[in-house]
Amino acid sequence: MATIRDVSKLAGVSVATVSRVLNRSGYVHEETERKVLRAIKELSYTPNFVARSLSNKKTSTIGLMVPDITNPFFPELARAVEDVMQLYGYTTILGNSDESVEKEKQYVEVLKQRYIDGVILASTALTADEVHKFGVPVVVLDRALTSDTIPMVTSKNREGAREATRFLLAQGCRKIAHLRGPAQLLNADERCQGYLDIVEQTDWFHPGLVVAGNYEMKQATDATLALLKKYPDIDGIFAGNDMMAIGALRAAQILGISIPDKLAIVGYDGITMGEVVYPELTTMAQPIYDMGALAARMLIKMIEKQPLDTLYYELDVQLIERGTTRKV
Amino acid sequence: MATIRDVSKLAGVSVATVSRVLNRSGYVHEETERKVLRAIKELSYTPNFVARSLSNKKTSTIGLMVPDITNPFFPELARAVEDVMQLYGYTTILGNSDESVEKEKQYVEVLKQRYIDGVILASTALTADEVHKFGVPVVVLDRALTSDTIPMVTSKNREGAREATRFLLAQGCRKIAHLRGPAQLLNADERCQGYLDIVEQTDWFHPGLVVAGNYEMKQATDATLALLKKYPDIDGIFAGNDMMAIGALRAAQILGISIPDKLAIVGYDGITMGEVVYPELTTMAQPIYDMGALAARMLIKMIEKQPLDTLYYELDVQLIERGTTRKV
DNA sequence: CTGTTAGCGCGTTCAA
DNA sequence: TTGAACGCGCTAACAG
């Protein structure tokens, strides 16, 4: 690998000059620039990022922490982040935290040793304080922590949940249950709240219609089986995420309940899996890709010290009507 | 951030000595070591990887190139790679190539600038020659290129396809079709070959039973719709991957063909999506996680200049019987 | 406009 | 067993 020194010799100039044309910093005579460029081409020189990083303290590398890339919500997010980063000349390091606060902190430490420029935390369980201590630019994605100083992007969980529930009502459902997500997660709370906003005042509502879940399919299947056994007159289910909605669908299929005629189901997320089940899942879709891309853009701005016009983005969600609800 | 110099001052020794205890290289008096360790702790010093990399030419970072992390086969692979890398103190950079040879090459160049230690290429379209030119350790995963000098891990595609087809036969299927993968991919060829090995000599076989596909669901649905219309007596389908198998299942559902009674389906891969459809997909499962983990281990060995006992691993596949085939 | 030189933080001879 | 000093490749003053 040729170095900047080789180039400077071949071009008959100093390394500083080469550095200048490389970084478009400072003045360089046109003629000189041409010579340098020619030398660069001839040696097929490419600057060494590590050396540059050492003096710069900038690596053009960011970290993306997800709970588990295997969880169907995150690949699309990761894709979006990577796409944008790539576009701006950044490289992205992937980390799985398994929802463990410890692993997450530890990972960030490792990344800091490597002079990482910034971090995107998807679905973190960290507190705002802990995040501040990192000392590197951070954007938080999805399951937000509560803070008005940390840049964040989410979707309109509560409003989306309301809309989904209203939709079920409009479909003619007269007893709607909710499979809620894990208690520690803010977004699970918000979605549950949205559901309650709509149904709490109805004459048929009672707390037994809200069932605890963990965002996973298997558990949701079992829970739904039990739920439908106890309350056979339930004719609508709003699930806190798509995986649980699919779990509910599975339960209905096991019980031979016809979907969507006897039971309508609406999920939340808009992951691809909703399209492979049959009937296909009606869902309140988050703009997953957009969320990732936006977070990436925000982070880049922070890294490059540009001002953020908004610190907190709450993106719109959109109902996608498919087979698990009736056409109206 | 404290530097090695700060530590050396506090401990009253030279930076060389600190370096020695840090890397367990050379002799250090026990007493001296204690002093150094104490200073390190006191300053909560942690070595700067970038500086270390510059003199080392080693970054403890590897690149993982996948066609698209959004494709359900790859998250599990990525997870495995990341887990192992993490375990050995490496960090992994994720890249999506979109199957483009150009993007892939370009990405590797970027990574080389960053002194990446090695690369795992999942499903590459590069030739052996091109890979050699990289000049960094490489392990190729999944859709192998043909070369006996590049370390590689795959699964027993041909044998697995045979077994899957035989299984369908044993189920009593009397006319089995095959949805094959893209022509450029070696593994698609191998799986198709395996299918042919079994059925070519039967009296019912004819080339019309092999249908071209692209490993995607939508196209497989359409293809299957057409296929079943043309040959209504098909009672078994072996798909080149799970997504196409799910597409076939969807086609059957649309046509109201009862699965598995009238039509049995077997996929290939063992991705999680096979478990969310109903009936659940019978599939010839690859040990995806193991493949990723193995590739990661191989790469680490190469990086650390340890000898590889085997250059080419072909892991066993395993039939997972689920709902799209009858119980025998 | 251009060159010299001092860091960036750490590893590694080479002497002592 | 320890320390001084140079090199890794590049950026950024500071002089000219």
Side-chain angles (χ1 to χ4, degrees), chain A residues 287-328:
Chain A
I288 305 182
Y289 190 94
D290 293 342
M291 289 167 67
L294 178 56
R297 289 207 153 78
M298 289 173 76
L299 187 61
I300 290 174
K301 275 198 177 176
M302 294 172 68
I303 290 171
E304 300 181 348
K305 311 251 187 246
Q306 292 167 38
L308 288 180
D309 20 299
T310 314
L311 225 53
Y312 182 68
Y313 284 93
E314 215 180 13
L315 302 193
D316 287 331
V317 293
Q318 191 190 3
L319 184 72
I320 300 184
E321 289 189 49
R322 290 197 284 237
T324 56
T325 51
R326 289 178 290 283
K327 295 273 174 255
V328 270

Short mmCIF file of all heavy atoms in Angstrom, two decimals, chain A residues 287-328:
data_model
loop_
_atom_site.label_atom_id
_atom_site.label_comp_id
_atom_site.label_asym_id
_atom_site.label_seq_id
_atom_site.Cartn_x
_atom_site.Cartn_y
_atom_site.Cartn_z
N PRO A 287 -43.31 3.27 9.72
CA PRO A 287 -42.42 3.45 8.58
C PRO A 287 -41.01 3.04 8.99
O PRO A 287 -40.15 3.89 9.19
CB PRO A 287 -42.51 4.95 8.29
CG PRO A 287 -42.85 5.56 9.62
CD PRO A 287 -43.63 4.54 10.41
N ILE A 288 -40.81 1.75 9.14
CA ILE A 288 -39.57 1.24 9.72
C ILE A 288 -38.32 1.77 9.01
O ILE A 288 -37.40 2.28 9.64
CB ILE A 288 -39.55 -0.30 9.71
CG1 ILE A 288 -40.79 -0.84 10.42
CG2 ILE A 288 -38.29 -0.82 10.40
CD1 ILE A 288 -40.85 -2.35 10.49
N TYR A 289 -38.33 1.63 7.70
CA TYR A 289 -37.16 2.08 6.95
C TYR A 289 -36.92 3.57 7.17
O TYR A 289 -35.80 4.00 7.44
CB TYR A 289 -37.34 1.78 5.46
CG TYR A 289 -36.07 1.98 4.66
CD1 TYR A 289 -35.21 0.93 4.40
CD2 TYR A 289 -35.73 3.25 4.17
CE1 TYR A 289 -34.03 1.11 3.69
CE2 TYR A 289 -34.56 3.45 3.46
CZ TYR A 289 -33.71 2.38 3.21
OH TYR A 289 -32.57 2.57 2.51
N ASP A 290 -37.98 4.35 7.07
CA ASP A 290 -37.85 5.79 7.26
C ASP A 290 -37.31 6.14 8.64
O ASP A 290 -36.52 7.07 8.80
CB ASP A 290 -39.20 6.48 7.07
CG ASP A 290 -39.68 6.36 5.63
OD1 ASP A 290 -38.85 6.07 4.74
OD2 ASP A 290 -40.88 6.55 5.39
N MET A 291 -37.78 5.39 9.61
CA MET A 291 -37.32 5.66 10.96
C MET A 291 -35.81 5.45 11.07
O MET A 291 -35.08 6.29 11.63
CB MET A 291 -38.06 4.77 11.97
CG MET A 291 -39.52 5.16 12.14
SD MET A 291 -40.51 3.91 13.03
CE MET A 291 -39.77 4.02 14.66
N GLY A 292 -35.35 4.35 10.50
CA GLY A 292 -33.92 4.08 10.53
C GLY A 292 -33.13 5.13 9.77
O GLY A 292 -32.10 5.63 10.23
N ALA A 293 -33.64 5.48 8.60
CA ALA A 293 -32.93 6.44 7.76
C ALA A 293 -32.87 7.81 8.45
O ALA A 293 -31.84 8.48 8.44
CB ALA A 293 -33.63 6.55 6.41
N LEU A 294 -33.98 8.17 9.05
CA LEU A 294 -34.02 9.46 9.74
C LEU A 294 -33.03 9.50 10.90
O LEU A 294 -32.27 10.46 11.07
CB LEU A 294 -35.44 9.73 10.24
CG LEU A 294 -35.64 11.02 11.02
CD1 LEU A 294 -35.20 12.22 10.20
CD2 LEU A 294 -37.11 11.17 11.43
N ALA A 295 -33.05 8.44 11.68
CA ALA A 295 -32.12 8.37 12.81
C ALA A 295 -30.68 8.49 12.32
O ALA A 295 -29.86 9.20 12.90
CB ALA A 295 -32.31 7.06 13.57
N ALA A 296 -30.39 7.81 11.23
CA ALA A 296 -29.04 7.86 10.68
C ALA A 296 -28.68 9.29 10.26
O ALA A 296 -27.60 9.79 10.57
CB ALA A 296 -28.94 6.91 9.49
N ARG A 297 -29.59 9.94 9.60
CA ARG A 297 -29.34 11.31 9.16
C ARG A 297 -29.14 12.24 10.35
O ARG A 297 -28.27 13.12 10.34
CB ARG A 297 -30.51 11.82 8.32
CG ARG A 297 -30.62 11.19 6.98
CD ARG A 297 -31.30 12.11 5.97
NE ARG A 297 -30.86 11.81 4.62
CZ ARG A 297 -31.30 10.79 3.90
NH1 ARG A 297 -32.22 9.98 4.40
NH2 ARG A 297 -30.83 10.57 2.69
N MET A 298 -29.94 12.05 11.37
CA MET A 298 -29.79 12.88 12.57
C MET A 298 -28.41 12.67 13.18
O MET A 298 -27.71 13.62 13.54
CB MET A 298 -30.86 12.53 13.60
CG MET A 298 -32.26 12.98 13.20
SD MET A 298 -33.51 12.35 14.34
CE MET A 298 -33.26 13.44 15.75
N LEU A 299 -28.03 11.43 13.29
CA LEU A 299 -26.74 11.13 13.90
C LEU A 299 -25.61 11.78 13.12
O LEU A 299 -24.68 12.36 13.70
CB LEU A 299 -26.52 9.62 13.98
CG LEU A 299 -25.27 9.22 14.78
CD1 LEU A 299 -25.35 9.69 16.21
CD2 LEU A 299 -25.05 7.71 14.74
N ILE A 300 -25.69 11.68 11.82
CA ILE A 300 -24.64 12.28 10.99
C ILE A 300 -24.57 13.79 11.23
O ILE A 300 -23.49 14.36 11.37
CB ILE A 300 -24.89 11.98 9.50
CG1 ILE A 300 -24.65 10.50 9.24
CG2 ILE A 300 -23.97 12.82 8.62
CD1 ILE A 300 -25.00 10.04 7.86
N LYS A 301 -25.72 14.39 11.29
CA LYS A 301 -25.74 15.83 11.57
C LYS A 301 -25.06 16.13 12.90
O LYS A 301 -24.24 17.05 13.00
CB LYS A 301 -27.18 16.34 11.63
CG LYS A 301 -27.75 16.68 10.28
CD LYS A 301 -28.98 17.57 10.40
CE LYS A 301 -29.51 17.96 9.03
NZ LYS A 301 -30.75 18.74 9.11
N MET A 302 -25.39 15.36 13.89
CA MET A 302 -24.78 15.59 15.19
C MET A 302 -23.27 15.42 15.12
O MET A 302 -22.51 16.22 15.67
CB MET A 302 -25.34 14.61 16.22
CG MET A 302 -26.81 14.83 16.52
SD MET A 302 -27.48 13.52 17.55
CE MET A 302 -26.62 13.83 19.09
N ILE A 303 -22.84 14.38 14.45
CA ILE A 303 -21.41 14.11 14.34
C ILE A 303 -20.72 15.27 13.64
O ILE A 303 -19.64 15.70 14.03
CB ILE A 303 -21.17 12.81 13.54
CG1 ILE A 303 -21.62 11.61 14.36
CG2 ILE A 303 -19.70 12.68 13.17
CD1 ILE A 303 -21.63 10.31 13.60
N GLU A 304 -21.37 15.79 12.63
CA GLU A 304 -20.75 16.87 11.87
C GLU A 304 -21.12 18.26 12.42
O GLU A 304 -20.99 19.25 11.73
CB GLU A 304 -21.10 16.69 10.39
CG GLU A 304 -20.58 15.35 9.91
CD GLU A 304 -20.83 15.07 8.44
OE1 GLU A 304 -21.61 15.82 7.82
OE2 GLU A 304 -20.26 14.10 7.92
N LYS A 305 -21.59 18.24 13.63
CA LYS A 305 -21.87 19.47 14.37
C LYS A 305 -22.84 20.42 13.68
O LYS A 305 -22.75 21.63 13.85
CB LYS A 305 -20.56 20.23 14.66
CG LYS A 305 -19.46 19.35 15.23
CD LYS A 305 -19.22 19.66 16.68
CE LYS A 305 -18.02 18.90 17.20
NZ LYS A 305 -18.39 17.90 18.22
N GLN A 306 -23.70 19.85 12.90
CA GLN A 306 -24.74 20.70 12.34
C GLN A 306 -25.90 20.71 13.33
O GLN A 306 -26.12 19.72 14.03
CB GLN A 306 -25.22 20.15 10.99
CG GLN A 306 -24.18 20.23 9.89
CD GLN A 306 -24.57 19.40 8.70
OE1 GLN A 306 -25.73 19.32 8.33
NE2 GLN A 306 -23.59 18.73 8.10
N PRO A 307 -26.64 21.79 13.37
CA PRO A 307 -27.75 21.86 14.33
C PRO A 307 -28.90 20.94 13.91
O PRO A 307 -29.16 20.76 12.73
CB PRO A 307 -28.18 23.32 14.22
CG PRO A 307 -27.78 23.72 12.84
CD PRO A 307 -26.52 22.99 12.55
N LEU A 308 -29.53 20.37 14.91
CA LEU A 308 -30.73 19.58 14.65
C LEU A 308 -31.93 20.50 14.82
O LEU A 308 -32.07 21.13 15.87
CB LEU A 308 -30.84 18.43 15.66
CG LEU A 308 -29.87 17.27 15.52
CD1 LEU A 308 -30.14 16.25 16.61
CD2 LEU A 308 -30.02 16.64 14.15
N ASP A 309 -32.78 20.58 13.82
CA ASP A 309 -33.94 21.46 13.98
C ASP A 309 -34.95 20.85 14.94
O ASP A 309 -35.66 21.54 15.65
CB ASP A 309 -34.59 21.75 12.62
CG ASP A 309 -34.22 20.72 11.58
OD1 ASP A 309 -33.00 20.62 11.31
OD2 ASP A 309 -35.11 20.03 11.08
N THR A 310 -35.01 19.53 14.94
CA THR A 310 -35.94 18.88 15.85
C THR A 310 -35.22 17.76 16.58
O THR A 310 -34.42 17.06 15.99
CB THR A 310 -37.12 18.27 15.07
OG1 THR A 310 -37.58 19.22 14.14
CG2 THR A 310 -38.24 17.88 16.01
N LEU A 311 -35.53 17.64 17.85
CA LEU A 311 -34.84 16.63 18.63
C LEU A 311 -35.67 15.36 18.72
O LEU A 311 -35.16 14.27 18.96
CB LEU A 311 -34.61 17.18 20.05
CG LEU A 311 -33.22 16.94 20.62
CD1 LEU A 311 -32.17 17.45 19.68
CD2 LEU A 311 -33.10 17.58 21.98
N TYR A 312 -36.94 15.53 18.52
CA TYR A 312 -37.84 14.41 18.75
C TYR A 312 -38.80 14.22 17.58
O TYR A 312 -39.64 15.09 17.32
CB TYR A 312 -38.63 14.67 20.04
CG TYR A 312 -39.55 13.57 20.41
CD1 TYR A 312 -39.07 12.33 20.83
CD2 TYR A 312 -40.93 13.75 20.37
CE1 TYR A 312 -39.92 11.30 21.17
CE2 TYR A 312 -41.80 12.73 20.73
CZ TYR A 312 -41.28 11.51 21.12
OH TYR A 312 -42.14 10.49 21.46
N TYR A 313 -38.65 13.14 16.89
CA TYR A 313 -39.55 12.87 15.77
C TYR A 313 -40.51 11.74 16.11
O TYR A 313 -40.11 10.70 16.62
CB TYR A 313 -38.74 12.44 14.53
CG TYR A 313 -38.05 13.58 13.84
CD1 TYR A 313 -36.74 13.91 14.15
CD2 TYR A 313 -38.70 14.32 12.86
CE1 TYR A 313 -36.09 14.95 13.51
CE2 TYR A 313 -38.07 15.36 12.21
CZ TYR A 313 -36.77 15.67 12.54
OH TYR A 313 -36.13 16.70 11.90
N GLU A 314 -41.76 11.98 15.81
CA GLU A 314 -42.76 10.95 16.02
C GLU A 314 -43.44 10.73 14.67
O GLU A 314 -44.30 11.52 14.26
CB GLU A 314 -43.77 11.44 17.07
CG GLU A 314 -44.27 10.34 17.95
CD GLU A 314 -45.26 10.86 18.99
OE1 GLU A 314 -45.74 12.01 18.85
OE2 GLU A 314 -45.57 10.11 19.91
N LEU A 315 -43.04 9.72 13.98
CA LEU A 315 -43.53 9.53 12.62
C LEU A 315 -44.94 8.95 12.57
O LEU A 315 -45.37 8.22 13.47
CB LEU A 315 -42.57 8.64 11.83
CG LEU A 315 -41.14 9.15 11.74
CD1 LEU A 315 -40.36 8.37 10.68
CD2 LEU A 315 -41.09 10.63 11.40
N ASP A 316 -45.62 9.26 11.49
CA ASP A 316 -46.97 8.75 11.30
C ASP A 316 -46.96 7.26 11.02
O ASP A 316 -46.07 6.74 10.37
CB ASP A 316 -47.63 9.45 10.10
CG ASP A 316 -47.99 10.88 10.42
OD1 ASP A 316 -48.27 11.16 11.61
OD2 ASP A 316 -48.02 11.71 9.50
N VAL A 317 -47.99 6.63 11.50
CA VAL A 317 -48.17 5.22 11.19
C VAL A 317 -49.32 5.11 10.19
O VAL A 317 -50.07 6.06 9.98
CB VAL A 317 -48.50 4.40 12.44
CG1 VAL A 317 -47.30 4.37 13.36
CG2 VAL A 317 -49.71 4.97 13.16
N GLN A 318 -49.44 3.94 9.59
CA GLN A 318 -50.47 3.82 8.57
C GLN A 318 -51.13 2.44 8.60
O GLN A 318 -50.44 1.41 8.62
CB GLN A 318 -49.84 4.05 7.19
CG GLN A 318 -50.88 4.20 6.12
CD GLN A 318 -50.26 4.17 4.75
OE1 GLN A 318 -49.05 4.00 4.61
NE2 GLN A 318 -51.08 4.33 3.73
N LEU A 319 -52.42 2.44 8.58
CA LEU A 319 -53.14 1.18 8.60
C LEU A 319 -53.04 0.50 7.24
O LEU A 319 -53.34 1.10 6.20
CB LEU A 319 -54.63 1.44 8.93
CG LEU A 319 -55.45 0.15 9.07
CD1 LEU A 319 -55.10 -0.57 10.36
CD2 LEU A 319 -56.93 0.46 9.01
N ILE A 320 -52.62 -0.75 7.27
CA ILE A 320 -52.59 -1.52 6.03
C ILE A 320 -53.64 -2.63 6.14
O ILE A 320 -53.47 -3.56 6.92
CB ILE A 320 -51.21 -2.14 5.79
CG1 ILE A 320 -50.16 -1.03 5.71
CG2 ILE A 320 -51.20 -2.97 4.52
CD1 ILE A 320 -48.78 -1.53 5.38
N GLU A 321 -54.69 -2.47 5.39
CA GLU A 321 -55.78 -3.45 5.46
C GLU A 321 -55.45 -4.68 4.64
O GLU A 321 -55.20 -4.59 3.44
CB GLU A 321 -57.07 -2.85 4.91
CG GLU A 321 -57.67 -1.80 5.80
CD GLU A 321 -59.04 -1.41 5.30
OE1 GLU A 321 -59.87 -2.31 5.03
OE2 GLU A 321 -59.26 -0.20 5.14
N ARG A 322 -55.49 -5.80 5.30
CA ARG A 322 -55.28 -7.04 4.57
C ARG A 322 -56.30 -8.06 5.03
O ARG A 322 -57.39 -7.71 5.44
CB ARG A 322 -53.83 -7.50 4.75
CG ARG A 322 -52.86 -6.57 4.00
CD ARG A 322 -51.49 -7.18 3.79
NE ARG A 322 -50.71 -7.16 5.02
CZ ARG A 322 -49.53 -6.58 5.17
NH1 ARG A 322 -48.97 -5.96 4.14
NH2 ARG A 322 -48.88 -6.64 6.31
N GLY A 323 -55.94 -9.32 4.91
CA GLY A 323 -56.93 -10.38 5.08
C GLY A 323 -57.49 -10.66 6.46
O GLY A 323 -58.52 -11.30 6.58
N THR A 324 -56.85 -10.21 7.53
CA THR A 324 -57.36 -10.59 8.84
C THR A 324 -58.46 -9.65 9.34
O THR A 324 -58.92 -9.78 10.47
CB THR A 324 -56.22 -10.63 9.90
OG1 THR A 324 -55.57 -9.36 9.91
CG2 THR A 324 -55.22 -11.72 9.57
N THR A 325 -58.83 -8.71 8.48
CA THR A 325 -60.01 -7.91 8.79
C THR A 325 -60.89 -7.89 7.54
O THR A 325 -60.39 -8.11 6.44
CB THR A 325 -59.64 -6.45 9.15
OG1 THR A 325 -58.78 -5.92 8.14
CG2 THR A 325 -58.94 -6.40 10.49
N ARG A 326 -62.15 -7.62 7.74
CA ARG A 326 -63.07 -7.60 6.61
C ARG A 326 -62.89 -6.32 5.80
O ARG A 326 -62.52 -5.28 6.32
CB ARG A 326 -64.52 -7.69 7.10
CG ARG A 326 -64.89 -9.03 7.65
CD ARG A 326 -66.30 -9.03 8.18
NE ARG A 326 -66.47 -8.24 9.39
CZ ARG A 326 -66.09 -8.65 10.60
NH1 ARG A 326 -65.49 -9.82 10.75
NH2 ARG A 326 -66.28 -7.87 11.65
N LYS A 327 -63.21 -6.44 4.53
CA LYS A 327 -63.22 -5.22 3.72
C LYS A 327 -64.47 -4.43 4.09
O LYS A 327 -65.54 -5.02 4.29
CB LYS A 327 -63.29 -5.59 2.23
CG LYS A 327 -62.06 -6.32 1.72
CD LYS A 327 -60.98 -5.33 1.29
CE LYS A 327 -59.70 -6.05 0.92
NZ LYS A 327 -58.65 -5.92 1.94
N VAL A 328 -64.32 -3.15 4.19
CA VAL A 328 -65.51 -2.35 4.54
C VAL A 328 -66.13 -1.70 3.31
O VAL A 328 -65.55 -1.66 2.25
CB VAL A 328 -65.18 -1.23 5.55
CG1 VAL A 328 -65.34 -1.75 6.96
CG2 VAL A 328 -63.81 -0.68 5.33
#
